[in-house]
Amino acid sequence: AQKVTQAQTEISVVEKEDVTLDCVYETRDTTYYLFWYKQPPSGELVFLIRRNSFDEQNEISGRYSWNFQKSTSSFNFTITASQVVDSAVYFCALGRLGAAGNKLTFGGGTRVLVKP
Amino acid sequence: DTEVTQTPKHLVMGMTNKKSLKCEQHMGHRAMYWYKQKAKKPPELMFVYSYEKLSINESVPSRFSPECPNSSLLNLHLHALQPEDSALYLCASSQEVTGGISTEAFFGQGTRLTVV
């Protein structure tokens, strides 16, 4: 069975503060994919990043950075110098490799509120 | 064009009505999905179509009937719904490549359904 846990349900920060979102996952698959999605109030899920299980290289993209640690089954996400537009719900997701398509298991989401 | 378009954006229907949700993508993706998202919850997978064939049905009640007329279109036919079916319905698509490599899913903005 696959499971994704986002322990933080809501985080409130003041603009320009850094925000780190935690994600812990469980899977028996040896090959899997991890994702972060952002869901603003408009409802659309916006893809942010995908990580393959065999690629533990961490990444920085602008104000976003990701820390993937297979040994602890964690895939954390940091927003540096947060802005009001970063306010959204952020979902961590686990994807299986399967011929029938990309089945995503989502964590419960973390609501980020950035105050001016 | 990296867009998944869903119509309508909002829908109010009675419990005896029949309605359809529509989803369209022109990215050449061969896997398409329906997800249901209740308020303050993560999306839950309902159906997966792979190469226009239904490949996954997550034990969804028969009052929800999916249809994939061609590789670009995905419909969800609704009949005799209950008030608890009120939710955001999200369509997504993703590209499958040789070897079954999982890729990110692109989501539409969703249809916000209210059953009265």
Side-chain angles (χ1 to χ4, degrees):
Chain A
Q2 303 215 315
K3 186 178 179 182
V4 177
T5 302
Q6 294 178 251
Q8 307 143 309
T9 55
E10 187 164 325
I11 299 175
S12 181
V13 297
V14 177
E15 209 170 15
K16 297 185 183 177
E17 289 183 345
D18 295 349
V19 181
T20 295
L21 308 182
D22 298 331
C23 173
V24 175
Y25 62 93
E26 297 175 28
T27 181
R28 292 179 184 171
D29 295 337
T30 54
T31 302
Y32 51 89
Y33 302 85
L34 293 161
F35 303 83
W36 275 99
Y37 283 89
K38 172 183 178 181
Q39 188 173 39
S42 60
E44 180 180 1
L45 277 163
V46 178
F47 165 78
L48 296 178
I49 192 173
R50 177 191 72 187
R51 255 300 167 260
N52 305 330
S53 55
F54 45 86
D55 178 8
E56 288 193 68
Q57 184 176 1
N58 293 318
E59 181 173 334
I60 297 175
S61 176
R63 295 186 298 108
Y64 297 162
S65 62
W66 292 270
N67 184 354
F68 176 31
Q69 293 195 336
K70 205 169 178 179
S71 60
T72 56
S73 298
S74 65
F75 185 44
N76 298 337
F77 169 45
T78 297
I79 304 172
T80 302
S82 60
Q83 300 174 2
V84 172
V85 294
D86 296 326
S87 296
V89 179
Y90 291 82
F91 289 99
C92 180
L94 177 62
R96 307 192 75 166
L97 176 63
N102 178 9
K103 182 182 166 87
L104 289 174
T105 299
F106 287 88
T110 299
R111 182 175 301 275
V112 174
L113 178 60
V114 181
K115 300 176 183 175
Chain B
D1 183 3
T2 57
E3 198 174 82
V4 177
T5 304
Q6 289 187 243
T7 55
K9 289 194 169 27
H10 299 274
L11 178 63
V12 179
M13 61 184 290
M15 290 188 283
T16 58
N17 291 158
K18 286 185 181 180
K19 296 287 184 184
S20 297
L21 308 184
K22 297 185 184 304
C23 174
E24 190 169 4
Q25 58 88 11
H26 295 289
M27 296 178 279
H29 290 179
R30 301 311 300 272
M32 295 187 74
Y33 314 82
W34 281 114
Y35 283 85
K36 174 182 177 179
Q37 186 178 22
K38 300 283 280 184
K40 298 189 177 183
K41 295 289 186 182
E44 295 179 350
L45 182 68
M46 299 175 72
F47 302 105
V48 180
Y49 272 83
S50 180
Y51 294 90
E52 299 155 54
K53 288 185 169 44
L54 182 64
S55 57
I56 297 178
N57 176 342
E58 293 286 284
S59 302
V60 178
S62 59
R63 57 185 184 270
F64 295 93
S65 175
E67 178 196 21
C68 188
N70 60 56
S71 60
S72 299
L73 294 174
L74 185 66
N75 299 322
L76 185 63
H77 303 298
L78 314 173
H79 173 55
L81 294 194
Q82 303 297 310
E84 58 266 29
D85 296 321
S86 298
L88 179 67
Y89 288 84
L90 292 160
C91 174
S93 68
S94 66
Q95 177 67 55
E96 289 195 56
V97 298
T98 303
I101 296 174
S102 171
T103 64
E104 64 268 19
F106 292 88
F107 284 82
Q109 283 198 316
T111 294
R112 205 165 291 277
L113 174 68
T114 303
V115 182
V116 297

